[in-house]
Amino acid sequence: MQRPENGSLPGKPVSASAVELATLVEVADTNPMGNIHGGVIMKLADQACAAAAIRHAGRICVTASVDRLDFRNPVHVGDMVVLKASLHYAHRSSMEVGVRIEAERLQTGQRTHVASARFIFVALDDECKPVAVPPLIPHTPEEHERYRRGEERYRERLARRQQEKNNASPPA
Ligand SMILES: CC(C)(COP(=O)(O)OP(=O)(O)OC[C@H]1O[C@@H](n2cnc3c(N)ncnc32)[C@H](O)[C@@H]1OP(=O)(O)O)[C@@H](O)C(=O)NCCC(=O)NCCS
């Protein structure tokens, strides 16, 4: 599970960096129908995932990409938005962080699934260069499965970026 580049760093379990963030939806966050703007959810998701990545890396981290973000249900003014973020996978300097976003109607306690997303963060050193992060240690069967799928997606993204680079290179 340990990688040669970051093998000297002690590994950390997924639970050590998991984040839960909750906030109330205010009128300023919503459209004229009283539903929260998608961009507000995206910002909160980025913040929750960034907090998990920084906790794991012990470094400043930047958002490198957003893999996927599907909105399933609206959130209304007065609801509480609850975000749960945790690492799926860590390679050398990059980390895939998943977030699940729910809305709670406070009067009833009813929760609905609003969106799920995956963000990729890269840890930076003091000179703003990518730096190795501790290996991620999955424990539960669910964490192992997320790790396995995160590793597959890491390889797919790498191949895609390489392909894009090749396409952009001028012919020899
Ligand atoms: C993300 C960033 C640090 C990568 O820098 P880079 O010089 O391309 O770094 P490298 O090619 O050495 O790659 C470093 C790591 O980032 C990953 N990476 C780079 N670009 C990526 C992308 N678009 N999506 C996902 N991962 C990416 C690489 O896979 C590598 O991971 P690994 O170390 O775990 O193998 C750089 O592109 C950057 O600073 N982007 C702006 C980030 C930012 O400001 N975000 C806030 C929103 S504006």
Side-chain angles (χ1 to χ4, degrees):
M1 197 71 73
Q2 289 218 336
R3 300 180 185 286
E5 308 91 333
N6 38 15
S8 59
L9 296 167
K12 289 186 178 178
V14 175
S15 58
S17 53
V19 164
E20 184 159 337
L21 185 92
T23 186
L24 280 176
V25 178
E26 297 176 352
V27 173
D29 301 325
T30 61
N31 63 24
M33 287 158 61
N35 296 339
I36 198 167
H37 294 292
V40 175
I41 294 282
M42 287 161 80
K43 183 178 176 194
L44 288 169
D46 187 43
Q47 286 174 336
C49 292
I54 294 167
R55 263 187 181 166
H56 181 78
R59 299 273 192 174
I60 288 299
C61 297
V62 287
T63 316
S65 68
V66 182
D67 228 22
R68 185 159 188 152
L69 207 168
D70 298 314
F71 291 104
R72 294 160 185 262
N73 288 296
V75 187
H76 306 284
V77 65
D79 287 351
M80 187 167 71
V81 186
V82 182
L83 300 99
K84 290 179 188 167
S86 61
L87 264 71
H88 288 174
Y89 176 69
H91 196 77
R92 194 192 83 90
S93 65
S94 66
M95 296 154 280
E96 180 184 292
V97 189
V99 61
R100 180 182 165 92
I101 303 148
E102 293 180 345
E104 181 176 325
R105 181 58 50 87
L106 290 172
Q107 295 90 324
T108 61
Q110 189 195 351
R111 282 204 179 189
T112 52
H113 183 197
V114 174
S116 289
R118 293 190 296 262
F119 286 67
I120 315 303
F121 284 84
V122 175
L124 301 180
D125 67 14
D126 297 341
E127 274 139 30
C128 294
K129 298 266 186 288
V131 64
V133 300
L136 182 69
I137 304 173
H139 280 302
T140 67
E142 205 178 28
E143 289 170 0
H144 276 284
E145 178 60 12
R146 285 183 182 148
Y147 189 99
R148 191 188 63 74
R149 294 175 66 186
E151 185 165 27
E152 277 176 13
R153 284 188 292 265
Y154 171 86
R155 299 203 183 287
E156 287 164 10
R157 281 191 298 270
L158 195 63
R160 204 166 46 237
R161 283 204 309 286
Q162 192 54 54
Q163 187 63 50
E164 282 165 7
K165 254 189 213 162
N166 295 344
N167 293 344
S169 315

